[in-house]
Amino acid sequence: MAKGISEQTYLVMLALADEPRHGYGVLREVKALSGGRVALGAGTLYGVLDRLVERGWAQMSDEVVVDGRLRRYYRLTDEGLAQVTAETERLRELAARARRVLAARPALGGA
């Protein structure tokens, strides 16, 4: 597992996990996955996609011209799916530990 997958990279990978998407589709899915909290700019998105492709975690799957504009579709590779799955498990374990720590914390204040 690569260290330090950022939240933005994780969300882009999740957006590509179920089906190939073009840039605008990835932006919409990231926003939906984050409950509207994360809205990536195009520059950030394509920087993330370039890094995923360089690592072999994503690849361009198709190019389609729509209304005279080229849409590039990206998809996760098997290695990318393995990475996002491992990161999801790591985050699940971290959240479980955090719940245990917070549940054991003594109440503040008092009366």
Side-chain angles (χ1 to χ4, degrees):
M1 179 70 199
K3 289 184 181 181
I5 292 179
S6 70
E7 180 181 19
Q8 294 170 335
T9 298
Y10 179 72
L11 289 168
V12 169
M13 292 176 78
L14 281 180
L16 297 173
D18 61 343
E19 64 183 55
R21 287 191 164 83
H22 58 83
Y24 183 66
V26 173
L27 293 176
R28 282 192 329 238
E29 187 66 11
V30 163
K31 193 168 187 177
L33 287 167
S34 70
R37 193 178 47 78
V38 176
L40 300 178
T44 300
L45 170 64
Y46 287 103
V48 169
L49 287 171
D50 287 346
R51 286 188 296 280
L52 291 175
V53 168
E54 287 173 12
R55 291 178 179 166
W57 295 355
Q59 65 185 35
M60 191 172 55
S61 65
D62 200 7
E63 291 182 322
V64 178
V65 176
V66 177
D67 296 328
R69 297 186 67 180
L70 183 64
R71 284 187 182 171
R72 288 193 175 113
Y73 285 77
Y74 293 86
R75 69 171 193 82
L76 283 187
T77 61
D78 290 342
E79 184 178 353
L81 184 59
Q83 292 293 330
V84 76
T85 300
E87 180 68 358
T88 299
E89 180 61 18
R90 186 190 73 78
L91 292 170
R92 187 195 65 73
E93 291 171 0
L94 179 61
R97 284 192 299 275
R99 281 191 293 278
R100 286 192 300 274
V101 167
L102 293 171
R105 184 177 185 271
L108 292 180

